[in-house]
Amino acid sequence: MPSKPPQPSGLRSRMQALLREVSKFGTVGGAAFALDLVIFNVLLGTGSETLLAKTVATTIATTFAFFGNRYWTWRDGQHTTMARQYTTFFVLNAIGLGIALGCLALSHYGLGQIWPVLQSKVADNIAGQFVGTAIGTLFRFWSYRRFVFRVTDDPTGSVTTPSSVSP
């Protein structure tokens, strides 16, 4: 009689589900980041003010990210009405934008007064696009998962993530 293949432990299956979830979130986020980066630099190239360019670029990328996360990353998550969910997503993303703007403003307007090289396009991209986005992404993953696409505990005490429900 053939033996059954060993089933992954509870912790192992939760870690695999979390890894799938983080991978999907990262893919959507990477595409939104690229969109944000292109729009930001196009706007800077047309003479837009730095913080306005970042705000416009992030708003467009946020809308893209919402649909990617809702219909792919957390497609099996708890969904409220589209308007409520998008509003919550957008508010939390605005906090993430605030983190990126804070990093950009600190570099460009704060430290840039001391070291003018920090007012260059390269420095603006490093501060706003890389540092600010990295810190904001940690906040976004946690908050989207907790408040927008609700990942809940099942009665057995293990975490149920949308990506653990289906591939």
Side-chain angles (χ1 to χ4, degrees):
M1 179 167 169
S3 65
K4 255 176 37 175
Q7 296 296 317
S9 69
L11 177 61
R12 183 180 219 180
S13 63
R14 286 194 311 264
M15 292 304 292
Q16 289 171 341
L18 182 61
L19 181 59
R20 280 190 305 275
E21 186 178 355
V22 168
S23 296
K24 288 179 176 183
F25 177 78
T27 300
V28 170
F33 174 79
L35 183 62
D36 186 316
L37 184 66
V38 168
I39 293 169
F40 178 67
N41 281 289
V42 166
L43 291 174
L44 285 180
T46 64
S48 293
E49 193 276 327
T50 303
L51 296 180
L52 177 63
K54 180 63 179 160
T55 301
V56 169
T58 299
T59 300
I60 294 167
T62 297
T63 301
F64 171 83
F66 172 77
F67 287 105
N69 283 312
R70 187 176 205 271
Y71 292 109
W72 188 46
T73 307
W74 289 293
R75 70 176 176 256
D76 298 319
Q78 296 177 4
H79 295 289
T80 57
T81 63
M82 178 74 79
R84 182 172 186 265
Q85 196 170 28
Y86 183 76
T87 301
T88 304
F89 184 91
F90 206 87
V91 166
L92 293 171
N93 206 68
I95 295 169
L97 170 61
I99 292 168
L101 290 175
C103 292
L104 179 57
L106 176 64
S107 173
H108 189 89
Y109 296 108
L111 298 174
Q113 298 301 315
I114 300 167
W115 299 291
V117 71
L118 294 178
Q119 294 180 333
S120 69
K121 285 184 183 180
V122 171
D124 286 348
N125 274 287
I126 291 170
Q129 297 297 109
F130 294 98
V131 176
T133 299
I135 296 168
T137 295
L138 295 173
F139 169 77
R140 285 179 183 103
F141 180 77
W142 171 80
S143 65
Y144 296 167
R145 193 171 192 264
R146 172 120 169 113
F147 300 111
V148 181
F149 304 108
R150 300 202 197 268
V151 175
T152 59
D153 289 340
D154 71 14
T156 66
S158 63
V159 175
T160 303
T161 61
S163 55
S164 67
V165 175
S166 63

